[in-house]
């Protein structure tokens, strides 16, 4: 395995632990899935905080798994490490015999190990072979994409996955360059991108090749396609009271996450009905309003956290939620009737005995 390459600072670690604690700290055995194990920083903290929790850790990167196995060796009796992509989560859980889980964490994007290892080809600031595979045992490389895709295919990848305004110009430059010889170097590709972008646009927004390298990495690893499948599957596996936390690092990941959660926190029944139709009730509640951003101290300690967006949700019992709403509605009607003329009741509102101090409704988040 060799020495660990790169530095690893878990992003928003304390906030993730805080959000997962109510689900993983319940009495008895709980099961937590780290769908993007990486170098196991989040996983180690979860296992330390919750001695009864079993970890299922997934990662497609065999080098990361090897390092994680060493790091988590002292927890070996309650750890399952799996060489798998997160969209394979249902198959992994079925094989391990876990029909439901209590916590799931997705820490998306590229890991510190992959960014800091010069031979992996993820970093535009270092010269390396154009690989970019998170799982180096299978799949096409970035070199194959760059040298075999047609102009329309390249432009689509850069425009959709990199949100690159100059996708067509960059694709044209790549086609011209590879006509002279195969493109194999990350440094050469980064230079091609820089030369393709107008000078005024190069002065803002960071390194000119950032969006192109992101797009190629997403294409090579099918990241968005896998995430689109994985998020609903993970939500389906959560027990009542179970919690999902997702850390996204660009707008495409965050958009998919937001949509997956929105589909579960809204009623699917007609809006004008006084009660929910069976099966149309929300099954999750959001744990924060919108995406949570890192604080200044977090970014100062770990600059790679600067772009992170956190979203989280908890599975709820639709029947209990509906009963709670019914009880509150009865209480409101009773209070309203008491204040009608002739009831002999003092004016003024009374607190709802079913809601504790500061308790929120199901639609509200826990806040930051």
């Amino acid at each position: 395995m060799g020495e660990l390459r790169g530095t690893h600072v878990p992003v928003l670690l304390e906030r993730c632990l805080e959000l997962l604690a109510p689900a993983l700290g319940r009495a008895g055995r709980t099961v937590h899935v780290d769908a993007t194990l990486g170098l196991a920083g989040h996983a180690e903290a979860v296992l330390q905080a919750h001695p009864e929790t079993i970890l299922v850790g997934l990662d497609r990167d065999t080098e990361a798994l090897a390092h994680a196995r060493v790091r988590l060796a002292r927890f070996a009796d309650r750890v399952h490490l799996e060489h798998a992509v997160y969209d394979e989560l249902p198959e992994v859980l079925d094989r391990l015999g876990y029909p439901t889980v209590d916590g799931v964490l997705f820490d998306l994007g590229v890991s510190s190990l992959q960014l800091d290892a010069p031979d992996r080809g993820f970093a535009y600031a270092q010269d390396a072979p154009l690989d970019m595979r998170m799982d180096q045992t299978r799949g096409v490389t970035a070199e194959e994409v760059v040298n075999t895709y047609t102009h329309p295919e390249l432009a689509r990848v850069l425009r959709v996955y990199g949100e690159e305004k100059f996708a067509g110009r960059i694709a044209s430059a790549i086609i011209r360059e590879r006509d002279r010889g195969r493109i194999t170097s990350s440094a050469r590709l980064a230079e091609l991108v820089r030369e393709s972008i107008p000078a005024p646009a190069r002065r803002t927004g960071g390194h000119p090749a950032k969006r192109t390298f992101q797009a190629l990495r997403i294409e090579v690893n099918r990241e968005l396609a896998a995430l689109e499948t994985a998020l609903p599957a993970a939500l389906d596996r959560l027990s009542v009271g179970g919690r999902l936390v997702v850390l996204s690092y660009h707008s495409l990941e965050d958009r998919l996450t937001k949509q997956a959660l929105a589909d579960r926190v809204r009623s699917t029944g007609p809006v004008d009905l006084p009660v929910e139709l069976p099966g149309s009730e929300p099954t999750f509640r959001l744990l924060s309003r919108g995406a949570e951003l890192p604080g200044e101290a977090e970014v100062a300690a770990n600059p790679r956290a600067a772009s992170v967006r956190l979203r989280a949700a908890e599975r709820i019992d639709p029947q209990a939620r509906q009963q709670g709403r019914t009880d509150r509605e009865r209480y409101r009607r009773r209070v309203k009737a008491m204040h009608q003329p002739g009831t002999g009741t003092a004016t003024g509102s009374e607190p709802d005995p079913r809601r504790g101090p500061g308790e929120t409704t199901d639609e509200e988040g826990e806040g930051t």
Side-chain angles (χ1 to χ4, degrees):
M1 178 178 65
E3 293 297 320
L4 176 61
R5 304 187 291 176
T7 57
H8 176 55
V9 181
V11 173
L12 293 177
L13 177 60
E14 294 305 319
R15 181 57 174 151
C16 289
L17 291 175
E18 178 186 8
L19 287 165
L20 291 168
L24 300 182
R26 295 183 284 188
R29 186 195 72 178
T30 55
V31 180
H32 174 61
V33 175
D34 193 320
T36 50
L37 184 64
L39 295 176
H42 289 101
E44 181 182 41
V46 164
L47 290 167
Q48 288 174 333
H50 302 285
E52 299 299 317
T53 293
I54 292 172
L55 172 77
V56 178
L58 280 62
D59 207 292
R60 67 174 84 190
D61 190 328
T62 55
E63 185 178 0
L65 279 172
H67 285 293
R69 187 166 287 108
V70 172
R71 184 171 193 167
L72 303 178
R74 66 188 186 279
F75 307 109
D77 60 334
R78 52 191 180 102
V79 167
H80 304 279
L81 301 186
E82 300 286 330
H83 180 216
V85 186
Y86 37 68
D87 62 352
E88 300 173 272
L89 176 60
E91 292 79 9
V92 170
L93 292 179
D94 287 344
R95 177 160 41 81
L96 295 174
Y98 297 126
T100 62
V101 299
D102 302 283
V104 180
L105 173 68
F106 286 86
D107 184 9
L108 302 171
V110 62
S111 74
S112 298
L113 170 66
Q114 293 155 350
L115 278 175
D116 293 337
D119 59 319
R120 302 294 292 269
F122 287 96
Y124 39 77
Q126 305 178 72
D127 192 15
L130 279 173
D131 192 324
M132 295 195 193
R133 289 174 298 168
M134 293 177 178
D135 181 354
Q136 291 189 300
T137 68
R138 58 184 174 179
V140 300
T141 64
E143 180 182 335
E144 292 175 78
V145 172
V146 165
N147 287 284
T148 63
Y149 276 30
T150 64
H151 184 282
E153 289 172 332
L154 278 174
R156 176 192 60 81
V157 168
L158 301 183
R159 182 176 60 255
V160 175
Y161 295 154
E163 300 178 292
E164 174 57 73
K165 292 188 298 183
F166 303 102
R169 295 176 62 153
I170 295 170
S172 296
I174 289 173
I175 298 293
R176 287 194 300 270
E177 178 68 13
R178 78 188 195 193
D179 284 343
R180 291 191 285 268
R182 191 172 181 86
I183 302 172
T184 61
S185 160
S186 61
R188 182 58 187 136
L189 177 61
E191 182 63 19
L192 280 173
V193 174
R194 193 192 68 80
E195 293 171 352
S196 303
I197 296 177
R202 294 201 299 263
R203 300 191 187 106
T204 60
H207 197 289
K210 177 174 65 176
R211 291 178 295 275
T212 293
F213 274 62
Q214 171 186 297
L216 291 173
R217 190 199 81 219
I218 291 173
E219 173 71 8
V220 165
N221 296 289
R222 297 181 56 256
E223 291 177 47
L224 295 183
L227 183 61
E228 196 169 13
T229 300
L231 286 173
L235 291 168
D236 288 341
R237 289 290 187 142
L238 281 171
S239 61
V240 173
R243 293 184 166 202
L244 170 85
V245 178
V246 182
L247 302 175
S248 304
Y249 295 86
H250 58 75
S251 61
L252 301 175
E253 294 171 340
D254 186 52
R255 197 176 303 148
L256 283 177
T257 303
K258 180 181 179 180
Q259 184 57 54
L261 297 181
D263 290 343
R264 307 298 181 103
V265 301
R266 290 193 300 244
S267 169
T268 58
V271 296
D272 54 347
L273 291 182
V275 296
E276 298 277 6
L277 292 175
S280 68
E281 308 95 336
T283 54
F284 280 80
R285 72 180 184 102
L286 299 179
L287 299 177
S288 62
R289 294 184 176 181
E292 294 186 20
L293 309 180
E296 292 182 3
E298 174 88 17
V299 175
N302 184 13
R304 286 175 180 167
S307 61
V308 72
R309 301 291 182 270
L310 181 151
R311 294 184 188 271
E314 177 185 61
R315 179 179 280 279
I316 59 175
D317 182 345
Q319 282 72 39
R321 179 178 183 274
Q322 180 60 34
Q323 184 60 48
R325 282 189 164 186
T326 302
D327 290 344
R328 288 195 296 270
E329 181 59 28
R330 286 174 182 159
Y331 176 79
R332 281 193 290 267
R333 288 177 181 175
R334 187 165 67 249
V335 170
K336 183 177 180 181
M338 291 167 60
H339 290 283
Q340 295 301 315
T343 62
T345 304
T347 59
S349 61
E350 301 179 18
D352 187 338
R354 296 162 188 80
R355 184 178 299 179
E359 185 178 339
T360 63
T361 66
D362 286 337
E363 290 78 9
E364 295 171 330
E366 291 184 354
T368 60

